[in-house]
Structures are given as C-alpha cells and as structure tokens.
Amino acid sequence: MQLRLITVGQKMPSWVEQGYNEYARRFPRDFQLELIEVPAVKRGKNADITRLTDKEGEAMLSHVSSADWVIALDVKGKQLSTPQLAQQIEHWQQHHPSVVFFVGGPEGLAPACIERANQKVSLSNLTFPHPMVRVIIAESLYRAWSVTVNHPYHRE
C-alpha cells in the first residue's frame, strides 16, 4: 500500500523534519509513507488569499491520479479514534492501494482539494500549525498500522 502526504510548505524547522522522519521510517516496505511538499505561495500585504490558496491547491492536485483515494484533513471532517483509523487502514489496504492525504497551508485547503477528496478527516477540534500536522499524521498512521499487525507500539 502506498500512502502519500501532500502538504503545502517547504523548508520546515528541523524538529518537524525529525519528527516526521522518525515515524515515516518505521513503516515496513510494503506500507510506505511518502511526503510530497508543494511550495507555499508567497503572501504579501494585500495578497489575494483565495487566489493563492487556489494556486496551492492546483499544485497539490497535480500529484494525484484518478485512481487515488484522497483524504482531506479538514476541521469539518470526521474525527477517528486509533482503532477506527486502524479499521480504515484495513479497508484501504483491501480497496485502495494508493491513498493520499491533503494538508493545507496557513489558510487551509483549496476548495478544489476538498471537492476532490473521497473522505474528510479531522485530527482534532483543536487547531494545529500546519507543519505540526505532518508529525501528528505520521505518528497516527504508524500507531493505527501497528494495531492492524498487533505490534506492541499501541497500548490501550
């Protein structure tokens, strides 16, 4: 199974890269998590945020095929527990060999990305800085995967 995390923003602080890489490297070869970063469009004083977000969305969508199962990380999405995410992973493994997660920039996801999504998931009712979401989703996916293979990482 191939998982891709498509995010807005590059050149993250070292702690973000280290955190993400720590969990991404733990996955087995047949269950890889790949990070694809699209550049954040520069925001000026009088920036047209809608246009900039749409441009970032176009860049994100350029990395998606029609066969991909797309999940938008969105505050309005459904919150999943770790066991529920593990069930989702088992479902994706059986039905969707390529799963893509969209993580937007400071203003969130472009409407086109939300429209393309097959599912909308919320990590929390809290708002997280978008760089931190990379680490949270990588750890959450690893934890849920560990449940599916009875790995001792997750303890209830």
Side-chain angles (χ1 to χ4, degrees):
M1 177 174 187
Q2 178 188 21
L3 297 171
R4 285 178 288 149
L5 182 59
I6 303 177
T7 67
V8 174
Q10 298 171 310
K11 299 179 184 172
M12 293 292 118
S14 62
W15 66 267
V16 172
E17 291 181 19
Q18 289 169 352
Y20 172 82
N21 289 333
E22 174 62 29
Y23 293 104
R25 75 169 178 76
R26 293 183 183 192
F27 287 101
R29 283 193 185 130
D30 63 342
F31 196 94
Q32 289 294 299
L33 177 61
E34 175 188 6
L35 176 64
I36 299 171
E37 298 174 310
V38 300
V41 180
K42 187 169 178 147
R43 282 132 170 90
K45 201 176 204 179
N46 297 314
D48 180 348
I49 298 301
T50 301
R51 187 182 62 78
L52 299 179
T53 303
D54 287 346
K55 189 172 181 179
E56 292 166 349
E58 288 171 17
M60 294 176 83
L61 290 166
S62 73
H63 294 281
V64 176
S65 78
S66 60
D68 290 329
W69 186 260
V70 177
I71 298 144
L73 294 177
D74 183 64
V75 70
K76 297 175 187 166
K78 181 180 179 182
Q79 290 187 22
L80 301 173
S81 66
T82 296
Q84 289 171 326
L85 183 55
Q87 288 175 341
Q88 283 290 285
I89 286 173
E90 289 174 333
H91 174 80
W92 298 330
Q93 285 177 309
Q94 293 175 3
H95 302 285
H96 309 290
S98 180
V99 176
V100 173
F101 292 86
F102 282 154
V103 178
E107 287 82 24
L109 286 169
C113 290
I114 293 172
E115 198 172 291
R116 169 59 181 89
N118 301 99
Q119 281 181 268
K120 294 179 199 103
V121 172
S122 173
L123 294 179
S124 170
N125 285 331
L126 298 171
T127 301
F128 298 116
H130 65 278
M132 189 178 287
V133 170
R134 297 173 187 210
V135 179
I136 293 169
I137 194 66
E139 192 282 337
S140 297
L141 288 168
Y142 178 74
R143 181 177 296 277
W145 168 83
S146 74
V147 169
T148 69
V149 296
N150 296 314
H151 187 283
Y153 180 76
H154 178 70
R155 294 173 184 85
E156 292 190 64

